[in-house]
């Protein structure tokens, strides 16, 4: 459903050529270097390498004929095994990367020597506002300075030479549930930053700041506030005129979710159209009946917005999922290309969002040009090309039917933040796909909880079944693969299975190569033309972040930040275990490879955890059941479904704290581990509730083979 702002309709009526043409330079200052990224292939200057966010490098020293000779040049041990998702920036041989808790490191790219580290000292409480671990996806670089978004919502400018702070501004209301995990983007002397938190009741927005001073220039909210009130921001008019009538009930109240629509990942500046494209996230609460009285499209959730980068003024939008209730965000990578559509070269943007359809939109107008499923999809039969709307199947509306619905893709998406790449050589998009589903049913007795997530689903409906061998069977049904997709014909060209969920981020190069990590710890190079595996190294640690490539002194390097990250190893712990049902060994490391690299990694240790003495079961069946419900209402977000954790967050079944009621109370009620991110849940739960959770966790610990 494309909307076009009045100004743009007028612009389109002008004769062709009067509009901004590709030859007219709309970038200024350092932006010209990002806009001409191919002129300096030795650098990786911005998040997606270029403003088009292709993640496609012109370097070809490492190529299909010699990649088999690639080896490790160096590695660096990071100080934590929490989630790692960063895209490193590389400028003149210096690597600027980020790690868990929004820390930044600068390395000498040739030797791996740490030049400096910056720790913004994120308070532990911020972790409890985050849906998906304390991750960070990277910094932006602008003319000798780095821009960092921190989990607790600050935007910080750092001197790239010294690692010292230049300025710092708070971009969110500290009392809100908004957190930053995404990388800022820079263009025209402005930094653009959004935030996440839709599962926590956040209201989404994107802001622009002056890169020199940190002064705020504009802010655009993605969902309306209480009718009759306004923010005094540039979004007031489109929210009043377009969005307000698509909402019902009292969505603006914190207990109803405040709308969601967070801008947590993709923000792309287009020097050709001088537009800023913004990916908007899912609705909050997930349950549309509780959120919006079961009615309305709920603009601008699950939409791509086009804004004027100088003012934030609305230009057009395209909503992918009207009235979203499947956590289907439109925040995934937006890639800009010019491709032939009906025989004419069209400036388009492409996106493979969570909902499983691959979208191609006209960049000037937001008009839908094509949309086809790239994974198994059952929530909609197709996208109506006349209206641009999905044909949503009636049974998918679980809050309306009141009946459970198993959606494909799952709420984790057929493709999430894990970057894809577009090869200018093969003209194919390489998408890290996960084909899996998830269950939805309304919470019949929903009550807002002040701490942690609020989504309005029956916590037991989404839960994985249990029993010896059951999880192993479910893990077998999850298909993860690297998909080569033709965006013009909208069809699959090849796929290469790369096991585990989530699949790793992707890099393509002019050396006919596509690189991708996986959760088994492999980094693999594929032939970009046919998906043939040409090289693989087992690093002993899961890799979900995307590799980058760069060069110095005539030598090409590939760098990746290895480590676990995101919602999957936390919430979906049972699905992220290995085939034996064991936790995957994880060492967070920065890894750099080159042809003839001879460095080696230390042997990885299998994590033995089943040897701890079992805690003593207690409580009757009713108490354990109650504990199971509460656990899946709140605790699973970090500690994992069925009390099974697959990451650095403790598996409570094997925690000595679970065997000690006083220690348990000290953690869950008194909040003694707040600095680690485990805050007090006293506002949510009574001591009796908390003991019920413990009874459930202890029962799970004693359930032989439950994680197998
Ligand atoms: Ca979400």
């Amino acid at each position: 459903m494309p909307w076009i702002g009045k100004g743009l309709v007028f612009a389109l009526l002008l004769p062709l050529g009067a509009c901004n043409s590709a030859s007219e330079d709309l970038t200024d200052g350092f932006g010209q270097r990002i806009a001409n990224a191919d002129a300096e292939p030795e650098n990786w200057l911005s998040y997606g390498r270029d403003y088009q966010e292709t993640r496609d490098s012109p370097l070809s020293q490492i190529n299909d004929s010699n990649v088999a000779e690639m080896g490790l040049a160096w590695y660096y041990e990071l100080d934590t095994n929490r989630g790692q998702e960063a895209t490193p920036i590389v400028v003149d041989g210096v690597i600027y990367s980020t790690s868990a808790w929004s820390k930044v490191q600068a390395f000498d790219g040739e030797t791996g020597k740490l030049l400096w580290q910056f720790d913004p000292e994120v308070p532990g409480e911020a972790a409890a506002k985050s849906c998906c671990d304390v991750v960070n996806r990277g910094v932006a670089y602008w003319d000798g300075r780095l821009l960092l978004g921190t989990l607790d919502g600050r935007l910080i400018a750092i001197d790239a030479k010294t690692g010292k702070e230049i300025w710092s501004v708070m971009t969110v209301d500290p009392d809100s549930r908004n957190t930053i995990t995404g990388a800022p983007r820079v263009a025209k002397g402005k930094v653009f930053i959004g935030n996440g938190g839709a599962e926590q009741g956040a209201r989404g927005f994107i802001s622009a700041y002056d890169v020199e001073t940190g002064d705020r220039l504009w802010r655009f909210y993605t969902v309306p506030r209480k009718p009759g009130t306004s923010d005094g921001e540039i979004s007031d008019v489109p929210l009043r005129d377009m969005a307000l009538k698509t909402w019902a009930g009292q969505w603006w109240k914190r207990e109803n979710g405040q709308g969601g629509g967070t801008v947590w990942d993709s923000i792309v500046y287009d020097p050709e159209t001088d537009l800023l494209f913004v990916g908007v996230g899912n609705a909050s609460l997930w349950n549309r009946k509780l959120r919006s009285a079961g009615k309305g499209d709920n603009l601008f959730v699950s939409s791509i917005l086009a804004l004027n980068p100088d003012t934030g003024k609305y230009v057009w939008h395209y909503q992918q999922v009207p009235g979203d209730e499947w956590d289907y965000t439109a925040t995934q990578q937006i890639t800009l290309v010019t491709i032939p559509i009906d025989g004419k070269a069209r400036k388009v943007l492409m996106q493979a969002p969570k909902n499983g359809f691959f979208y191609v939109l006209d960049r000037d107008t937001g008009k839908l040009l094509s949309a086809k499923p790239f994974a198994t999809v059952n929530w909609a039969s197709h996208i109506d090309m006349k209206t641009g709307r999905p044909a949503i199947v009636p049974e998918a509306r679980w809050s309306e039917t009141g009946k459970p619905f198993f959606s494909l893709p799952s709420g984790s998406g057929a493709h999430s933040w894990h970057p894809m790449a577009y090869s200018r050589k093969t003209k194919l998009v390489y998408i890290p796909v996960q084909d899996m589903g998830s269950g939805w049913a309304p919470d019949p007795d929903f009550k807002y909880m002040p701490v942690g997530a609020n989504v309005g689903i029956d916590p037991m409906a989404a839960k994985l079944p249990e029993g010896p061998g059951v999880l192993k069977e479910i893990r077998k049904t999850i298909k993860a693969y690297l998909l080569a997709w033709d965006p013009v014909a909208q069809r699959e060209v090849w796929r290469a299975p790369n096991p585990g969920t989530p699949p790793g981020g992707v890099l393509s190069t002019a050396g006919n190569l596509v690189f991708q990590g996986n959760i088994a710890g492999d980094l693999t190079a594929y032939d970009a033309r046919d998906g043939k595996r040409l090289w693989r190294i087992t690093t002993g640690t899961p890799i979900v972040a995307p590799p980058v490539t760069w060069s110095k002194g005539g030598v090409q390097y590939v760098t990746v930040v290895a480590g676990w990250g995101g919602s999957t190893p936390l919430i979906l712990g049972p699905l992220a275990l290995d085939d034996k049902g064991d936790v995957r060994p994880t060492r967070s490391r920065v890894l750099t490879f080159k042809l003839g690299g001879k460095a080696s990694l230390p042997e990885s240790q299998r994590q033995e955890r089943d040897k701890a003495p079992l805690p003593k079961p207690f409580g009757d069946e009713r108490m354990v059941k109650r504990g199971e419900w509460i656990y899946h209402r709140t605790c699973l977000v970090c500690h994992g479904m069925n009390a099974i954790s697959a990451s650095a967050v403790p598996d409570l079944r094997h925690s000595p704290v679970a065997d000690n009621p006083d220690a348990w109370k000290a953690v869950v009620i008194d909040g003694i581990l707040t600095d680690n991110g485990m805050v007090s849940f006293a506002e949510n739960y009574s001591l009796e509730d908390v003991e019920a959770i413990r009874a459930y966790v202890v029962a799970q610990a004693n359930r032989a083979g439950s994680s197998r």
Side-chain angles (χ1 to χ4, degrees):
M1 196 178 74
W3 279 78
I4 303 174
K6 276 189 191 122
L8 195 78
V9 170
F10 179 71
L12 289 173
L13 295 174
L14 294 170
L16 270 172
C19 303
N20 297 318
S21 68
S23 58
E24 190 182 336
D25 191 7
L26 289 164
T27 56
D28 50 15
F30 187 79
Q32 288 184 12
R33 280 183 64 186
I34 303 177
N36 297 317
D38 279 358
E40 39 188 309
E42 69 275 18
N43 292 329
W44 189 285
L45 289 180
S46 66
Y47 185 69
R49 202 192 78 86
D50 40 38
Y51 273 137
Q52 292 70 34
E53 304 229 342
T54 61
R55 291 181 176 267
D56 181 48
S57 167
L59 293 177
S60 61
Q61 183 181 72
I62 301 169
N63 58 52
D64 52 323
S65 74
N66 62 14
V67 66
E69 295 153 33
M70 198 163 95
L72 187 69
W74 56 263
Y75 71 92
Y76 179 87
E77 298 272 356
L78 291 165
D79 63 355
T80 170
N81 284 341
R82 298 289 292 254
Q84 309 299 345
E85 299 187 348
T87 294
I89 297 291
V90 189
V91 186
D92 302 331
V94 179
I95 297 172
Y96 303 100
S97 194
T98 66
S99 57
W101 295 105
S102 325
K103 293 179 186 176
V104 188
Q105 301 85 27
F107 300 100
D108 178 320
E110 288 174 300
T111 64
K113 186 181 169 237
L114 183 73
L115 302 175
W116 54 257
Q117 177 154 227
F118 178 84
D119 180 358
E121 292 174 358
V122 169
E125 301 95 85
K129 295 184 183 179
S130 173
C131 71
C132 311
D133 207 353
V134 293
V135 293
N136 185 281
R137 283 185 292 282
V139 288
Y141 180 87
W142 183 269
D143 208 6
R145 62 182 61 192
L146 305 172
L147 290 309
L148 167 74
T150 67
L151 192 67
D152 56 328
R154 285 169 288 161
L155 180 67
I156 303 177
I158 302 163
D159 186 308
K161 264 221 164 63
T162 63
K164 297 275 182 286
E165 181 176 305
I166 302 170
W167 53 254
S168 173
V169 290
M170 183 50 106
T171 71
V172 305
D173 174 352
D175 293 331
S176 74
R177 316 293 296 171
N178 303 66
T179 51
I180 301 179
T181 57
R185 308 299 205 279
V186 276
K188 307 182 89 176
K190 298 170 184 70
V191 200
F192 307 103
I193 188 72
N195 47 68
E199 278 66 46
Q200 303 265 347
R203 178 181 177 223
F205 59 88
I206 173 175
S207 322
Y209 292 83
D210 186 307
V211 71
E212 294 298 328
T213 62
D215 292 339
R216 179 147 78 82
L217 304 171
W218 56 259
R219 175 165 292 177
F220 192 104
Y221 284 92
T222 61
V223 297
R225 52 188 279 158
K226 187 179 177 180
T229 70
S230 65
D231 299 297
E233 302 288 355
I234 190 75
S235 44
D236 283 353
V237 171
L239 289 178
R240 187 195 63 207
D241 294 352
M242 268 181 271
L244 195 57
K245 57 179 178 264
T246 69
W247 290 81
Q250 299 188 316
W251 72 92
W252 68 85
K253 290 189 170 168
R254 185 165 272 196
E255 60 264 37
N256 297 329
Q258 300 201 113
T262 50
V263 179
W264 58 263
D265 201 48
S266 198
I267 303 166
V268 176
Y269 172 67
D270 178 10
E272 287 186 289
T273 60
D274 196 26
L275 292 174
L276 189 73
F277 302 117
V278 179
V280 183
N282 60 280
S284 165
L285 304 166
W286 285 350
N287 185 322
R288 187 168 74 149
K289 203 165 187 178
L290 297 174
R291 172 181 84 232
S292 183
K295 286 185 283 209
D297 289 352
N298 297 170
L299 289 173
F300 296 100
V301 304
S302 193
S303 302
I304 294 176
L305 276 169
L307 306 177
N308 178 313
D310 299 317
T311 61
K313 195 166 188 254
Y314 169 94
V315 180
W316 58 254
H317 82 272
Y318 174 77
Q319 188 177 45
Q320 293 172 349
V321 186
D324 162 59
E325 48 186 340
W326 309 271
D327 195 4
Y328 285 162
T329 63
T331 52
Q332 281 61 45
Q333 180 174 335
I334 294 169
T335 295
L336 313 179
V337 288
T338 298
I339 53 175
I341 303 279
D342 298 329
K344 265 191 242 141
R346 288 287 278 268
K347 292 196 292 267
V348 305
L349 67 81
M350 311 186 289
Q351 193 186 43
K354 275 187 175 185
N355 77 29
F357 287 94
F358 189 95
Y359 293 87
V360 177
L361 305 182
D362 183 289
R363 270 187 260 158
D364 282 313
T365 63
K367 183 181 159 48
L368 176 69
L369 300 176
S370 64
K372 284 277 155 40
F374 65 91
T376 315
V377 169
N378 76 346
W379 66 278
S381 60
H382 63 283
I383 308 295
D384 184 319
M385 290 305 296
K386 270 217 176 75
T387 61
R389 294 173 72 91
I392 299 175
V393 302
E395 56 271 29
R397 286 275 178 215
W398 52 270
S399 77
E400 212 166 295
T401 66
K403 292 191 189 117
F405 175 67
F406 186 80
S407 74
L408 291 154
S410 76
S412 302
H415 170 227
S416 189
W417 63 268
H418 316 83
M420 60 185 194
Y422 172 76
S423 162
R424 277 88 52 88
K425 232 173 150 173
T426 63
K427 312 269 189 256
L428 299 177
V429 187
Y430 302 96
I431 313 167
V433 177
Q434 55 181 359
D435 225 339
M436 58 188 259
S438 61
W440 310 85
D443 183 345
D445 191 25
F446 175 75
K447 210 175 110 230
Y448 170 78
M449 295 283 180
V451 188
N454 285 287
V455 290
I457 64 166
D458 177 349
M460 304 309 286
K463 210 176 104 33
L464 289 159
E466 290 179 81
V470 174
L471 288 170
K472 194 173 175 180
E473 286 308 308
I474 294 173
R475 283 197 291 269
K476 275 193 212 156
T477 67
I478 300 168
K479 284 175 280 172
Y481 47 91
L482 175 64
L483 179 70
W485 186 260
D486 178 342
V488 178
Q490 284 274 26
R491 63 174 181 86
E492 174 176 338
V493 177
W494 55 258
R495 72 171 71 184
N498 200 2
T501 168
V506 175
L507 160 74
S508 72
T509 76
N512 280 324
L513 296 174
V514 183
F515 291 90
Q516 187 190 28
N518 70 19
I519 65 163
D522 307 314
L523 182 63
T524 307
Y526 300 93
D527 188 313
R529 292 160 299 195
D530 57 15
K532 195 176 158 221
R533 193 208 288 180
L534 299 176
W535 173 85
R536 172 167 278 186
I537 189 169
T538 298
T539 68
T541 202
I543 300 173
V544 292
V548 299
T549 190
W550 53 280
S551 71
K552 179 143 195 230
V555 179
Q556 184 185 352
Y557 297 86
V558 172
T559 297
V560 69
V561 183
W564 249 144
S567 58
T568 307
L570 271 70
I571 300 171
L572 299 177
L575 301 182
L577 298 171
D578 70 11
D579 290 343
K580 294 198 183 79
D582 286 333
V583 175
R584 296 169 193 280
T586 299
R587 295 293 315 163
S588 293
R589 292 179 180 127
V590 180
L591 305 172
T592 292
F593 302 88
K594 64 176 179 180
L595 291 178
K598 292 277 187 291
S600 60
L601 287 162
E603 194 78 17
S604 61
Q605 299 291 316
R606 181 165 287 281
Q607 266 164 277
E608 301 281 348
R609 65 174 185 185
D610 287 343
K611 299 222 168 112
L614 286 173
K616 251 202 340 273
F618 68 97
D620 58 15
E621 200 188 330
R622 207 166 148 261
M623 184 181 192
V624 171
K625 274 265 161 242
R626 175 162 170 68
E628 182 181 27
W629 192 93
I630 300 172
Y631 179 94
H632 287 91
R633 171 69 175 75
T634 296
C635 316
L636 95 156
V637 175
C638 293
H639 292 283
M641 235 172 233
N642 303 349
I644 298 171
S645 169
S647 80
V649 175
D651 187 307
L652 299 177
R653 299 170 305 160
H654 307 290
S655 165
V657 175
D659 208 15
N660 180 335
D662 294 332
W664 187 263
K665 173 184 171 285
V667 173
V668 186
I669 296 288
D670 304 335
I672 59 163
L673 295 181
T674 295
D675 286 350
N676 299 356
M678 176 61 199
V679 297
S680 163
F681 285 84
E683 278 186 84
N684 285 10
Y685 299 117
S686 67
L687 196 53
E688 200 188 334
D689 294 333
V690 165
E691 267 300 276
I693 302 172
R694 192 170 74 86
Y696 165 66
V697 167
V698 169
Q700 283 300 88
N702 282 276
R703 213 173 147 159
S706 62
S707 61
R708 296 296 193 248

